[in-house]
């Protein structure tokens, strides 16, 4: 990690990043427990271990900017300023959820915050983000659009189409690849050839491959890409190398018999946990007292408890709601 | 009234709606030069922001339309040939049709996907499908098939103003049929069928380009003393079931003409709806005149042999009358 003088981040900024990552972590740990208990009706794909990516990217964005997310979308939702209460209630399938219980974990969206939504279609968010980038270009207000997608999604043809058209039109687009080492249960190398960042080269699109567990590295790479996009210079691709510490989906123990990764591999990545890393970085450089982090921890515990209480207090939607919202 | 070919009427609708609403944008492959003629002149009038050639990229193009709509624009995504909707199908089926629903009604998705569809031009199997039935089944997409220049113009204007995704399928390559088009401003609401010819003996529902052979059949049948009531649904989703069912309540007989393949055709759906709603009034089993469940062949006599024509339509009508 870079020294503080090499970054533009103040101690306050770093605590902000820490807080955001921890919020994602604690909300998702809770959702993981709730799933085990049988309280969540549908599949949940947790982002635990990858928080630095959404956090480092979204720190540069405002509500006027757009993001399109993936099936593993809680982290993006929270990093972009989505309300934890509305998120948890949605995953619980309740009327008080951000989508009134119509979408669940794989579709959390809040357009008022520039969140085009998680997406159940791998690669499906890329096209939406390109469209929002086109809208931003036509609006001429300097907004940008970011597409998050996995290493698995990088093998969808839509990525090539998006690179071509966004470079051609100089769209204010960020293509953020979260390379977490797996496409479902297939290790990336067994289904993907070459470096994903290299896929931008033939299009003349600047690309960076960064340590996705280093929130400062993600923040810095995004800083350059966002400036470029806002200046009308076109898209960038950032490949963030990270790792999902949880299963592909919380229910996988019920249908996967074989082990698909070694304990040592998981342990090695736990040692690189992005949240712990930022904490020790702040300690090392005496940037913030441990008490500041403890206060954040306590604050987030309250947010989590309140979000779950809000969700469980919220009723299920009335059945006739299933027939609404198809058409405007 | 002004005499217009269908493609000119569509061009007028696009130009009028783009002039009326600065948030309407149009993109697609070669829309600047205009392969079909329907987008001709729009680039010069509305400029490069609002009218753009895209690369050949249906997968991202259809999704881009949804993203731009979610971000406040009103895109018209020109697919050239309807068959290329399949290449862009993911974003149509999984994003456009469902984004509003699965996000609890948070947004509107005002997108028009337009393209030329149907057989009859020796364009062979990959450029001739009538794919409206699969879009009817998606749920969140309106499906519009105009049969005349006047309807095409009025329906397209409504489609562009509609806050939902609309598939607009035009049965016209370069030109199409000519007809009278009102000179004053007008729109035709989506979801309203029109009785194109009144009659008392049989209800003849004709979808899209099938209106012309159906009208010819009705003319021929009139000479035999059979008065067919010809109805053009104009919009298949939503479908004006009331107009069709009310007609069958009077006539007691139904023939539906559709250039889709038979299995799960719009004709099958309409026949089912009428059978349930007007069972007591039916004097004969409903009949469907459709394309057999094969692909569209190239050679003219082969292609012609598959498509509904006035003779087949008239024969189906006579059969419902026991003649
Ligand atoms: C179009 C499509 N194909 C397949 C799937 C099933 N699926 C869900 S997640 C996933 C793996 C995605 O891998 P990646 O993009 O790397 O994301 P990650 O799960 O690692 O975050 C697959 C194959 C899907 N949802 N959509
Ligand atoms: Mg992955």
């Amino acid at each position: 990690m870079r020294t503080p003088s090499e970054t533009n981040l103040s101690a306050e900024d770093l605590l902000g990043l820490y807080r955001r990552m921890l919020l994602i972590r604690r909300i998702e740990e809770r959702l993981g427990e709730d799933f085990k208990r049988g309280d969540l009706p549908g599949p949940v794909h947790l982002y635990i271990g990858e928080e630095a990516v959404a956090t480092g990217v979204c720190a540069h964005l405002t509500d006027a900017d757009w993001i399109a997310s993936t099936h593993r979308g809680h982290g993006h939702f929270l990093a972009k300023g989505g309300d934890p209460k509305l998120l948890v209630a949605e995953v619980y399938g309740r009327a008080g959820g951000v989508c009134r219980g119509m979408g669940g974990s794989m579709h959390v969206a809040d357009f008022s915050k520039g969140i085009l939504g998680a997406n159940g279609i791998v690669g499906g968010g890329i096209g939406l983000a390109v469209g929002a980038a086109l809208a931003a270009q036509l609006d001429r207000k300097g907004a940008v659009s970011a597409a998050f997608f996995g290493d698995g999604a990088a093998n969808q043809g839509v990525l090539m189409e998006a690179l071509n058209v966004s470079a051609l039109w100089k769209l204010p687009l960020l293509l953020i690849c979260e390379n977490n080492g797996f496409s479902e249960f297939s290790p990336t190398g067994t289904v993907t050839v070459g470096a994903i960042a290299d896929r931008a080269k033939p299009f003349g699109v600047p690309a960076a491959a960064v340590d996705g567990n280093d929130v400062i590295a993600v923040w810095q790479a995004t800083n350059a890409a966002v400036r470029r996009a806002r200046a009308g210079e076109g898209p960038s691709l950032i490949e963030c190398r990270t790792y999902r510490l949880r299963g592909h989906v919380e229910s996988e123990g019920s249908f996967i018999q074989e082990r698909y990764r070694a304990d040592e591999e998981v342990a090695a990545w736990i040692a690189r946990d992005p949240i712990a890393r930022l904490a020790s970085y702040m300690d090392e450089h005496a940037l913030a007292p441990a008490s500041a982090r403890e206060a954040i921890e306590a604050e987030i515990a309250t947010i989590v408890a309140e979000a779950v209480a809000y969700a469980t207090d919220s009723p299920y939607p009335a059945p006739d709601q299933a027939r609404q919202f198809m058409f405007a | 009234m002004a005499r217009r070919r269908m493609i000119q009427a569509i061009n007028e609708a696009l130009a009028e709606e783009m002039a009326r609403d600065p948030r309407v944008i149009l993109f697609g492959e070669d829309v600047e030069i205009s392969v079909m003629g329907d987008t001709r002149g729009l680039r010069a009038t509305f400029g490069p922001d609002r009218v753009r050639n895209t690369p050949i990229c249906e997968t991202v193009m259809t999704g881009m339309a949804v993203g731009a709509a979610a971000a406040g624009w009103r895109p018209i995504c020109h697919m050239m040939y309807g068959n290329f909707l399949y290449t862009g199908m993911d974003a149509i089926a999984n994003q456009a049709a469902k984004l509003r629903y699965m996000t609890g009604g948070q947004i509107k998705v005002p997108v028009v996907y337009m393209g030329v569809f149907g057989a009859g031009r020796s364009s062979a199997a990959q450029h001739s499908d009538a794919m409206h039935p699969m879009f009817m089944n998606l749920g969140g997409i309106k499906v519009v098939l105009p049969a005349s220049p006047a309807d095409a113009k009025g329906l397209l204007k409504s489609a562009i103003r509609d806050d939902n995704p609309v598939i607009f399928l035009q049965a016209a390559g370069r030109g199409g049929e000519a007809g009278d088009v009102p000179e004053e401003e007008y729109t035709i609401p989506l979801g309203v069928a029109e009785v194109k010819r009144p009659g008392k003996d049989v209800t003849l529902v004709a979808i899209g380009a099938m209106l012309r052979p159906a009208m010819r059949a009705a003319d021929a049948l009139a000479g035999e003393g059979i008065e067919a009531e010809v109805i053009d649904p104009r919009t298949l989703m939503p479908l004006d079931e009331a107009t069709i069912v009310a007609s069958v309540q009077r006539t007691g007989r139904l023939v539906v003409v559709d250039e889709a393949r038979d299995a799960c055709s719009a004709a099958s759906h309409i026949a089912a709806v009428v059978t349930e709603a007007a069972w007591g009034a039916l004097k004969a089993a409903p009949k469907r005149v459709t394309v057999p469940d094969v692909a569209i062949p190239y050679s003219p006599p082969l292609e012609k042999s598959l498509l509904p024509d006035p003779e087949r339509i008239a024969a189906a009508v006579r059969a419902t009358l026991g003649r």
Side-chain angles (χ1 to χ4, degrees), chain A residues 45-47 50 70-72 106 119-124 149-156 177-186 188 244 248, chain B residues 90 94:
Chain A
H45 306 82
L46 298 183
Y47 195 59
E50 309 183 31
T70 70
H71 55 288
R72 201 175 300 288
M106 281 193 284
N119 215 304
I121 302 300
V122 170
F149 59 98
D151 49 291
N155 292 331
Q156 288 279 35
C177 180
E178 304 182 311
N179 184 347
N180 63 6
F182 294 94
S183 177
E184 270 184 9
F185 310 102
S186 305
T188 307
R244 66 166 161 73
H248 167 66
Chain B
D90 172 50
N94 280 319

Coordinates of all heavy atoms in Angstrom, one line a residue, chain A residues 45-47 50 70-72 106 119-124 149-156 177-186 188 244 248, chain B residues 90 94, ligand 1:
Chain A
H45 N -26.1 -13.9 -2.7 CA -24.7 -14.0 -3.1 C -24.0 -12.9 -2.3 O -24.2 -11.7 -2.5 CB -24.5 -13.7 -4.6 CG -25.3 -14.6 -5.4 ND1 -26.7 -14.4 -5.7 CD2 -25.0 -15.8 -6.1 CE1 -27.2 -15.3 -6.5 NE2 -26.2 -16.2 -6.8
L46 N -23.1 -13.3 -1.4 CA -22.5 -12.3 -0.5 C -21.2 -11.8 -1.1 O -20.5 -12.4 -1.8 CB -22.3 -12.9 0.9 CG -23.6 -13.3 1.6 CD1 -23.3 -13.7 3.0 CD2 -24.6 -12.1 1.7
Y47 N -20.9 -10.5 -0.7 CA -19.8 -9.7 -1.3 C -18.7 -9.7 -0.3 O -17.7 -9.0 -0.5 CB -20.4 -8.3 -1.5 CG -19.6 -7.4 -2.4 CD1 -19.3 -7.7 -3.7 CD2 -19.2 -6.2 -1.9 CE1 -18.6 -6.8 -4.5 CE2 -18.5 -5.3 -2.7 CZ -18.2 -5.6 -4.0 OH -17.5 -4.7 -4.8
E50 N -14.9 -8.6 -0.7 CA -14.7 -7.7 -1.9 C -15.1 -6.3 -1.7 O -15.2 -5.5 -2.7 CB -15.5 -8.3 -3.1 CG -15.3 -9.8 -3.3 CD -16.1 -10.4 -4.5 OE1 -16.3 -9.7 -5.4 OE2 -16.5 -11.6 -4.4
T70 N -24.4 -6.3 -10.1 CA -24.4 -7.8 -10.5 C -25.3 -8.5 -9.5 O -25.9 -7.9 -8.6 CB -23.0 -8.4 -10.3 OG1 -22.7 -8.4 -8.9 CG2 -22.0 -7.5 -11.0
H71 N -25.4 -9.8 -9.7 CA -26.1 -10.7 -8.7 C -25.5 -10.6 -7.3 O -26.2 -10.9 -6.4 CB -26.0 -12.1 -9.2 CG -24.6 -12.6 -9.4 ND1 -23.8 -12.2 -10.4 CD2 -23.9 -13.5 -8.7 CE1 -22.7 -12.8 -10.3 NE2 -22.6 -13.5 -9.3
R72 N -24.3 -10.2 -7.2 CA -23.6 -10.0 -5.9 C -23.6 -8.5 -5.6 O -22.6 -7.9 -5.5 CB -22.2 -10.5 -6.0 CG -21.5 -10.9 -4.7 CD -20.1 -11.5 -5.0 NE -20.1 -12.7 -5.8 CZ -20.6 -13.9 -5.4 NH1 -21.1 -14.0 -4.1 NH2 -20.7 -14.9 -6.2
M106 N -31.2 -10.1 -5.8 CA -30.6 -9.9 -7.1 C -31.1 -8.8 -7.9 O -30.7 -8.5 -9.0 CB -30.8 -11.2 -7.9 CG -29.8 -12.3 -7.5 SD -29.7 -13.7 -8.7 CE -31.2 -14.5 -8.3
N119 N -28.3 -7.4 -10.8 CA -28.8 -8.0 -12.0 C -28.7 -9.5 -11.9 O -27.6 -10.0 -11.6 CB -28.1 -7.4 -13.2 CG -29.0 -7.3 -14.4 OD1 -29.6 -8.3 -14.8 ND2 -29.1 -6.1 -14.9
G120 N -29.7 -10.2 -12.2 CA -29.7 -11.7 -12.2 C -29.1 -12.3 -13.4 O -28.8 -13.5 -13.5
I121 N -28.8 -11.4 -14.4 CA -28.2 -11.9 -15.7 C -26.7 -11.5 -15.7 O -26.4 -10.3 -15.6 CB -28.9 -11.3 -16.9 CG1 -30.4 -11.6 -16.9 CG2 -28.3 -11.7 -18.2 CD1 -30.8 -13.0 -16.9
V122 N -25.9 -12.5 -15.7 CA -24.4 -12.2 -15.6 C -24.0 -11.4 -16.9 O -24.3 -11.9 -18.0 CB -23.6 -13.5 -15.5 CG1 -22.2 -13.3 -15.7 CG2 -23.9 -14.2 -14.2
G123 N -23.5 -10.2 -16.7 CA -23.2 -9.3 -17.8 C -24.4 -8.4 -18.2 O -24.2 -7.5 -19.0
G124 N -25.5 -8.7 -17.6 CA -26.7 -7.9 -18.0 C -26.6 -6.4 -17.6 O -27.3 -5.6 -18.3
F149 N -18.9 -5.8 -12.9 CA -19.1 -7.1 -13.5 C -18.0 -8.1 -13.0 O -16.9 -7.6 -12.7 CB -19.3 -7.1 -15.0 CG -18.0 -6.6 -15.7 CD1 -17.1 -7.5 -16.2 CD2 -17.8 -5.2 -15.9 CE1 -15.9 -7.0 -16.9 CE2 -16.7 -4.7 -16.5 CZ -15.7 -5.6 -17.0
G150 N -18.3 -9.3 -13.0 CA -17.3 -10.3 -12.5 C -16.4 -10.8 -13.6 O -16.5 -10.4 -14.7
D151 N -15.4 -11.6 -13.1 CA -14.5 -12.2 -14.1 C -15.3 -13.1 -15.0 O -15.0 -13.3 -16.2 CB -13.4 -12.9 -13.4 CG -14.0 -13.9 -12.3 OD1 -14.5 -13.4 -11.3 OD2 -13.9 -15.1 -12.5
G152 N -16.3 -13.8 -14.4 CA -17.1 -14.7 -15.3 C -17.8 -13.8 -16.3 O -17.9 -14.2 -17.5
A153 N -18.4 -12.7 -15.9 CA -19.1 -11.9 -16.9 C -18.2 -11.3 -18.0 O -18.7 -11.0 -19.1 CB -19.8 -10.7 -16.1
A154 N -16.9 -11.2 -17.7 CA -16.0 -10.7 -18.7 C -16.0 -11.6 -19.9 O -15.5 -11.2 -21.0 CB -14.6 -10.6 -18.1
N155 N -16.5 -12.8 -19.8 CA -16.5 -13.7 -20.9 C -17.8 -13.6 -21.7 O -18.0 -14.3 -22.7 CB -16.3 -15.2 -20.5 CG -14.9 -15.4 -20.0 OD1 -14.0 -14.7 -20.4 ND2 -14.8 -16.3 -19.0
Q156 N -18.7 -12.7 -21.3 CA -19.9 -12.5 -22.1 C -19.6 -11.5 -23.3 O -18.8 -10.5 -23.1 CB -21.0 -11.8 -21.2 CG -21.6 -12.7 -20.2 CD -22.7 -13.6 -20.8 OE1 -22.6 -14.0 -21.9 NE2 -23.7 -13.8 -20.0
C177 N -14.2 -4.5 -13.4 CA -14.2 -6.0 -13.3 C -13.8 -6.4 -12.0 O -12.7 -6.1 -11.5 CB -13.3 -6.6 -14.4 SG -13.4 -8.4 -14.3
E178 N -14.6 -7.2 -11.3 CA -14.3 -7.7 -10.0 C -13.9 -9.1 -10.2 O -14.7 -10.1 -10.3 CB -15.6 -7.7 -9.1 CG -16.1 -6.3 -9.0 CD -17.3 -6.2 -8.1 OE1 -18.3 -7.0 -8.2 OE2 -17.3 -5.3 -7.2
N179 N -12.6 -9.3 -10.3 CA -12.0 -10.7 -10.5 C -11.8 -11.3 -9.2 O -10.8 -11.1 -8.5 CB -10.7 -10.6 -11.3 CG -10.2 -11.9 -11.6 OD1 -10.7 -13.0 -11.1 ND2 -9.2 -12.0 -12.5
N180 N -12.8 -12.1 -8.8 CA -12.8 -12.7 -7.5 C -12.3 -14.2 -7.5 O -12.5 -15.0 -6.6 CB -14.1 -12.6 -6.7 CG -15.2 -13.4 -7.5 OD1 -15.0 -14.0 -8.5 ND2 -16.4 -13.2 -7.0
G181 N -11.8 -14.6 -8.7 CA -11.2 -15.9 -8.8 C -12.1 -17.0 -9.2 O -11.6 -18.1 -9.5
F182 N -13.4 -16.7 -9.2 CA -14.4 -17.8 -9.6 C -15.5 -17.3 -10.4 O -16.0 -16.2 -10.3 CB -15.0 -18.4 -8.3 CG -14.0 -19.1 -7.4 CD1 -13.3 -18.5 -6.4 CD2 -13.7 -20.5 -7.7 CE1 -12.4 -19.1 -5.6 CE2 -12.7 -21.1 -6.9 CZ -12.1 -20.5 -5.9
S183 N -15.9 -18.2 -11.3 CA -17.1 -18.0 -12.0 C -18.0 -19.1 -11.5 O -17.8 -20.3 -11.9 CB -16.8 -18.1 -13.5 OG -18.0 -18.0 -14.3
E184 N -18.9 -18.8 -10.6 CA -19.6 -19.8 -9.8 C -18.6 -20.7 -9.1 O -17.8 -20.2 -8.3 CB -20.5 -20.7 -10.7 CG -21.9 -20.1 -10.8 CD -22.9 -21.0 -11.6 OE1 -22.5 -22.1 -11.9 OE2 -24.0 -20.5 -11.8
F185 N -18.4 -21.9 -9.6 CA -17.5 -22.9 -8.9 C -16.3 -23.2 -9.8 O -15.5 -24.0 -9.4 CB -18.3 -24.2 -8.6 CG -19.6 -23.8 -7.8 CD1 -20.8 -23.8 -8.5 CD2 -19.6 -23.4 -6.5 CE1 -22.0 -23.4 -7.9 CE2 -20.7 -23.0 -5.9 CZ -21.9 -23.0 -6.5
S186 N -16.2 -22.5 -10.9 CA -15.1 -22.7 -11.8 C -14.0 -21.7 -11.5 O -14.3 -20.5 -11.7 CB -15.5 -22.6 -13.3 OG -16.6 -23.5 -13.6
T188 N -11.2 -19.1 -12.2 CA -11.2 -18.2 -13.4 C -10.3 -18.8 -14.5 O -10.7 -18.8 -15.7 CB -10.7 -16.9 -13.0 OG1 -11.5 -16.4 -11.9 CG2 -10.7 -15.9 -14.1
R244 N -13.7 -13.9 -3.2 CA -14.9 -14.0 -2.3 C -14.7 -14.9 -1.2 O -14.3 -16.1 -1.4 CB -16.2 -14.3 -3.1 CG -16.2 -15.7 -3.7 CD -17.6 -16.0 -4.2 NE -17.6 -17.1 -5.2 CZ -17.4 -18.3 -4.9 NH1 -17.2 -18.7 -3.6 NH2 -17.4 -19.3 -5.8
H248 N -20.2 -19.1 -3.3 CA -20.8 -18.4 -4.5 C -22.2 -17.9 -4.1 O -22.6 -16.8 -4.3 CB -20.9 -19.3 -5.7 CG -21.8 -18.7 -6.8 ND1 -21.5 -17.6 -7.4 CD2 -23.0 -19.1 -7.2 CE1 -22.4 -17.3 -8.3 NE2 -23.4 -18.2 -8.2
Chain B
D90 N -31.7 -10.7 -24.9 CA -31.5 -10.7 -23.4 C -32.0 -9.4 -22.8 O -32.8 -9.5 -21.9 CB -30.1 -11.0 -23.1 CG -29.9 -10.8 -21.5 OD1 -30.7 -11.4 -20.8 OD2 -29.0 -10.0 -21.1
N94 N -35.1 -9.8 -20.5 CA -34.7 -9.8 -19.1 C -34.5 -8.4 -18.4 O -34.6 -8.3 -17.2 CB -33.3 -10.5 -18.9 CG -33.5 -12.0 -18.9 OD1 -34.4 -12.6 -18.3 ND2 -32.6 -12.7 -19.6
Ligands
LIG1 C1 -26.5 -15.1 -18.4 C2 -26.3 -15.9 -17.1 N1 -25.7 -17.1 -17.2 C3 -25.4 -17.8 -16.1 C4 -25.9 -17.4 -14.9 C5 -25.7 -18.3 -13.7 N2 -24.6 -17.6 -12.9 C6 -24.9 -16.8 -11.8 S1 -23.6 -16.2 -11.1 C7 -22.6 -17.0 -12.2 C8 -21.1 -16.8 -12.1 C9 -20.7 -15.4 -12.3 O1 -19.3 -15.2 -12.1 P1 -18.7 -13.8 -12.0 O2 -19.2 -12.9 -13.1 O3 -17.2 -14.0 -11.9 O4 -19.3 -13.2 -10.7 P2 -19.1 -13.7 -9.2 O5 -20.2 -14.6 -8.9 O6 -17.8 -14.3 -9.1 O7 -19.2 -12.5 -8.4 C10 -23.3 -17.7 -13.1 C11 -22.7 -18.6 -14.1 C12 -26.6 -16.2 -14.9 N3 -27.1 -15.7 -13.7 N4 -26.8 -15.4 -16.0

